[in-house]
Amino acid sequence: MTLPIRHFRTLLDCTTDELNYLVQRGITLKMWRNQGKVHEPLVGKVMTMIFEKSSTRTRISFEAGMAQLGGHAIFISPRDSQLSRGEPLEDTAKVVSRMTDIVMIRTFGQDIIERFAQHSKVPVINGLTDLHHPCQVLADVMTFIEQRGSISGKTVLWIGDGYNMCHSFMHAAKQFGFHIRVCTPEGYEPNAQVQAECEGSFSLHRDPLTAAQGVDLVVTDVWTSMGCEAETEERHAKFFPYQVTTEIMAAAGKQALFMHCLPAHRGEEVAGDVIDGEQSVVWDEAENRLHAQKALMEFLLLGQQN
Ligand code: CP
Ligand code: NVA
């Protein structure tokens, strides 16, 4: 049976039902792995992974996940492919998708994912762009659900840069039915298009302690994302009041979880006592990249499983 090509460029590429399926399937695949059960539905399938930015978690989780599902993953970067020597992205997409079954790309502009997908005969997964990081947020929602049950109706505080992680969390709010308070310094608010897409699911805030009151989850990210390094000094000055401290977690309350997609900088966006403290679930988040993405790859290649 041939499935229609489905891409995962943002969380809006799936319906709410499909996203809930992926979370539950991720939980099942995690249980099976913990039980030592071998599940290899992707024998003979090959994934191409194109990384234009650095990665630890994304590369390892996709590569290990593909191997655990019985398939294989190939890593390429522009430096060791013809991309850096001027081969058009569209030509690369045509060639790669004739040889391999699924593609994951980590790059700069969201338009690069869009252009690649337009010329690809196989599913394309966004492994992080400047605009979105949907795989991370899928794993984060899975982590919340494991810890607390349904995320629908809950309140999340995003604190820091209104950038890729924040945008995907806003999409998650719309899709999973929670409210997200987005607390940023002036000038670092989320992208206008993402705000329009998520109308009614978010509110904008400036004061971290007020925004933190009673939330179920506090989430932050680095002050200087990949590609923004030239602004590091200016960002440090502006973001310092937005560090997630024990005071902010206390304002949120004991029920609140803390998440960070990692890599983290203790003493910058998060205090060491918070990320290494009892409310932090950052290691589960990182592990759940593996399980959630296995569910995603299986879904894109084989459809929903019973
Ligand atoms: N969180 C995340 O995507 O980590 P890497 O940059 O290490 O892949
Ligand atoms: N916002 C960060 C996320 C890293 C996983 C970045 O883009 O560098």
Side-chain angles (χ1 to χ4, degrees), residues 62-295:
F62 272 111
E63 199 162 332
M66 201 58 187
Q68 289 166 16
L69 292 171
H72 183 79
I74 300 169
F75 170 91
I76 63 169
S77 72
R79 204 182 38 188
D80 47 45
S81 70
Q82 298 290 3
L83 278 166
S84 63
R85 300 184 66 253
E87 181 163 21
L89 188 73
E90 289 77 3
D91 293 2
T92 307
K94 285 177 193 159
V95 171
V96 162
S97 70
R98 280 174 175 238
M99 294 183 188
T100 62
D101 304 283
I102 187 164
V103 178
M104 188 243 83
I105 308 177
R106 167 168 285 197
T107 186
F108 294 87
Q110 185 75 13
D111 62 302
I112 294 173
I113 301 267
E114 296 293 342
R115 279 168 54 209
F116 198 102
Q118 267 170 21
H119 296 272
S120 172
K121 297 200 309 182
V122 302
V124 175
I125 297 174
N126 180 352
L128 180 144
T129 61
D130 296 345
L131 197 64
H132 282 291
H133 197 2
C135 294
Q136 179 69 54
V137 176
L138 186 64
D140 293 354
V141 171
M142 173 179 161
T143 307
F144 186 93
I145 289 172
E146 278 182 324
Q147 298 278 339
R148 295 282 191 263
S150 174
I151 195 166
S152 170
K154 299 283 199 264
T155 303
V156 172
L157 169 64
W158 174 269
I159 178 163
D161 197 5
Y163 200 60
N164 45 16
M165 275 297 299
C166 174
H167 296 151
S168 288
F169 248 103
M170 289 170 68
H171 275 181
K174 177 189 167 84
Q175 293 283 58
F176 288 95
F178 61 87
H179 183 83
I180 184 162
R181 297 180 190 163
V182 177
C183 187
T184 70
E186 196 178 345
Y188 296 90
E189 294 84 2
N191 169 286
Q193 189 194 323
V194 177
Q195 290 198 36
E197 288 164 353
C198 301
E199 210 183 317
S201 299
F202 74 96
S203 48
L204 298 181
H205 301 258
R206 202 64 85 204
D207 178 53
L209 272 178
T210 315
Q213 296 297 323
V215 298
D216 301 287
L217 170 64
V218 177
V219 195
T220 193
D221 186 13
V222 292
W223 290 342
T224 305
S225 286
M226 292 180 278
C228 305
E229 289 81 2
E231 304 165 14
T232 301
E233 210 172 308
E234 180 189 345
R235 283 171 169 265
H236 273 229
K238 291 192 176 146
F239 280 95
F240 193 72
Y242 292 80
Q243 181 183 101
V244 180
T245 56
T246 50
E247 289 74 30
I248 286 183
M249 293 309 294
K254 282 198 168 51
Q255 79 296 336
L257 297 173
F258 171 76
M259 289 192 190
H260 188 312
C261 65
L262 306 176
H265 303 78
R266 288 169 177 77
E268 293 183 18
E269 72 274 7
V270 60
D273 287 352
V274 171
I275 193 168
D276 299 316
E278 283 184 355
Q279 288 164 280
S280 171
V281 289
V282 297
W283 312 121
D284 294 318
E285 273 184 272
E287 179 189 330
N288 285 341
R289 293 290 303 278
L290 173 71
H291 310 298
Q293 290 162 197
K294 282 168 72 176

